[in-house]
């Protein structure tokens, strides 16, 4: 048996959008089950996101500490952001987020993992990149506002982040997946065996 996610779409007999927000919306679908019954499913419609696990020459990861109101916590995270334009190249979006949130750039990029954050209630797809060969970005720093105005930036050893994840001290989805994926990649075929930065992404198709 091949363990691999596969496309499938059950029949929808009715759909509505009871809420539309600035970036996301809520959709209600009436879905036909295998036994013929129809059930109602509510879920958030999301444009998709990118995240960047940026690692420097001292094996430190660039992380941000930001307030997240829904969970009432300040979380340590990796740079991340929305795919603001339909069909946007995810690598370009990741490079933009690294610049805007950390005023940094990277000379080497790979795909670490593609995930659905909460597939039971949201269609958000995230591509997590590995960025190496870090340097400070040119020009002025990007002007931040709202929660980002209070954001802290740090570089933390990878081993310390692994410890924090396994100890239940770090909870951000992209940070957890990115950190553990890098450790797994190094233990396996090495980071050079990771997919290239422009690898296809069926969940959010894009143009090169």
């Amino acid at each position: 048996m091949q363990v691999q996610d596969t496309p499938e779409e059950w029949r929808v007999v009715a759909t509505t959008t009871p809420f539309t927000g600035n970036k996301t919306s809520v959709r209600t679908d009436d879905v036909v089950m295998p036994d013929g019954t129809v059930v109602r499913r509510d879920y958030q419609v999301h444009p998709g996101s990118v995240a960047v696990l940026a690692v420097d020459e001292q094996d430190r990861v660039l992380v941000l500490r930001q307030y997240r109101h829904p969970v009432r916590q300040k979380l340590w995270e990796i740079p991340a952001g929305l795919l603001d334009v339909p069909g946007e190249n995810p690598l370009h979006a990741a490079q933009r987020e690294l610049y805007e949130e950390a005023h940094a750039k990277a000379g080497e990029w790979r795909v670490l993992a593609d995930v659905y954050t909460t597939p039971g209630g949201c269609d958000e797809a995230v591509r997590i990149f590995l960025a190496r060969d870090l340097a400070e970005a040119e020009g002025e720093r990007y002007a931040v506002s709202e929660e980002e105005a209070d954001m802290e930036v740090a570089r933390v050893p990878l081993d310390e982040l692994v410890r924090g994840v396994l100890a239940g001290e770090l909870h951000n989805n992209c940070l957890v997946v990115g950190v553990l994926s890098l450790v797994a990649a190094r233990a396996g075929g090495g980071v050079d065996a990771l997919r290239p930065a422009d690898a296809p992404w069926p969940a959010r198709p894009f143009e090169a």
Side-chain angles (χ1 to χ4, degrees), residues 87-190:
E88 182 177 16
N89 187 306
L91 175 60
H92 298 165
Q95 291 169 332
R96 179 186 69 236
E97 294 300 329
L98 186 61
Y99 159 70
E100 291 182 357
E101 296 193 342
H103 197 65
K105 62 180 182 178
E108 201 174 329
W109 293 81
R110 293 273 182 171
V111 175
L112 260 180
D114 296 329
V115 297
Y116 291 115
T117 55
T118 48
C122 180
D123 71 351
E124 181 183 13
V126 181
R127 169 157 282 188
I128 304 173
F129 290 90
L130 171 65
R132 297 183 294 171
D133 187 19
L134 298 186
E136 186 173 353
E138 294 89 2
E140 295 183 2
R141 287 187 173 272
Y142 182 78
V144 296
S145 60
E146 300 174 352
E147 289 92 343
E148 292 183 352
D150 187 53
M151 193 164 58
E152 304 170 46
V153 181
R155 295 194 182 197
V156 178
L158 177 65
D159 289 346
E160 175 61 18
L161 294 178
V162 172
R163 186 208 61 76
V165 168
L166 298 180
E169 298 169 358
L170 299 171
H171 308 91
N172 175 261
N173 181 287
C174 292
L175 183 147
V176 171
V177 173
V179 163
L180 299 185
S181 293
L182 177 56
V183 172
R186 288 177 173 178

